[in-house]
Amino acid sequence: KEQYFNLFKNMYLTIFKCGLLLLLVFIPILVTDIFRNLFDAGFYSQFVDSKLTEGEYHTFLMIDLMIQTGIEVVLIPLLTVVISGVNNIFRLMVQGESVIFKMDFIEGIKGNYKNTTILALIFGLIFAIVRFVATLFVYNIFIVVTIYILFILLILPLCLLSLIYTSYYEGGVFNCLSNCFKLY
């Protein structure tokens, strides 16, 4: 608790820089989501005006969602560059070491990029599968809710733990996943 408030009080500029970098790399995902929502609104208005059947409407929504998911998976290597650097900076701050932002950011990329990218791609593909299955069973709310609950309770914590784990320990991706699974 004391370390958290100490970091927030004394390292606010470093935390702000990290947050700004993360925001900048997430802008393409936010823009993609905005465009998907605009397309979905257009599809909905066509559905309401009876220009699309219910099946066509759901097909367009599914295609739209899969395109967004594909774009997000393709953007993962860009995201993991920043995540690798930011993880290293946060690790140093938590351990009470001094931070030289640019140098430590680049050091984090060099040390963690490969494992972070592989792990993020694995979890990104799992999320794509979850989205795909959820859209296939859109009429069965029990299956959709169950699959998202399982994703949130099982996969998401493993993803977050593994991203943190890669900044602290060296080793392969499967070693990281194994240790995170055991820890979780």
Side-chain angles (χ1 to χ4, degrees):
K1 181 178 172 183
E2 290 83 17
Q3 180 73 348
Y4 171 78
F5 286 112
N6 184 36
L7 287 176
F8 196 67
K9 178 181 169 187
N10 297 322
M11 302 291 283
Y12 63 89
L13 190 58
T14 303
I15 294 169
F16 179 75
K17 287 178 187 176
C18 290
L20 188 61
L21 282 172
L22 288 169
L23 176 65
L24 287 175
V25 298
F26 276 96
I27 286 176
I29 289 177
L30 295 173
V31 169
T32 304
D33 192 46
I34 289 168
F35 277 112
R36 184 182 67 87
N37 287 334
L38 290 173
F39 282 119
D40 289 351
F43 295 141
Y44 181 72
S45 68
Q46 288 181 351
F47 174 65
V48 169
D49 293 340
S50 299
K51 294 178 182 175
L52 293 176
T53 66
E54 186 175 356
E56 290 173 331
Y57 172 65
H58 287 295
T59 301
F60 284 137
L61 291 182
M62 182 174 160
I63 291 170
D64 208 15
L65 184 63
M66 290 300 107
I67 289 171
Q68 178 192 5
T69 303
I71 291 170
E72 289 172 352
V73 170
V74 168
L75 288 174
I76 285 176
L78 172 67
L79 299 173
T80 55
V81 168
V82 175
I83 291 171
S84 300
V86 167
N87 269 350
N88 189 51
I89 289 172
F90 281 140
R91 179 184 59 83
L92 292 172
M93 287 191 312
V94 168
Q95 290 175 345
E97 298 179 25
S98 63
V99 174
I100 302 170
F101 192 85
K102 185 177 179 180
M103 186 177 80
D104 292 329
F105 185 81
I106 292 170
E107 181 183 313
I109 294 169
K110 289 178 183 176
N112 301 330
Y113 178 71
K114 179 184 167 191
N115 285 344
T116 303
T117 302
I118 293 169
L119 288 167
L121 283 171
I122 289 169
F123 289 114
L125 290 173
I126 291 170
F127 185 60
I129 292 168
V130 166
R131 274 186 170 173
F132 181 72
V133 170
T135 55
L136 281 179
F137 294 100
V138 72
Y139 295 112
N140 190 335
I141 194 73
F142 178 75
I143 292 175
V144 173
V145 169
T146 302
I147 196 165
Y148 276 114
I149 287 174
L150 289 174
F151 178 78
I152 290 169
L153 292 178
L154 298 177
I155 305 300
L156 192 60
L158 284 175
C159 176
L160 296 174
L161 280 173
S162 64
L163 290 176
I164 294 167
Y165 187 89
T166 59
S167 65
Y168 276 94
Y169 304 105
E170 292 183 15
V173 172
F174 295 108
N175 182 37
C176 176
L177 285 173
S178 172
N179 288 338
C180 289
F181 183 74
K182 291 173 189 173
L183 180 63
Y184 183 63

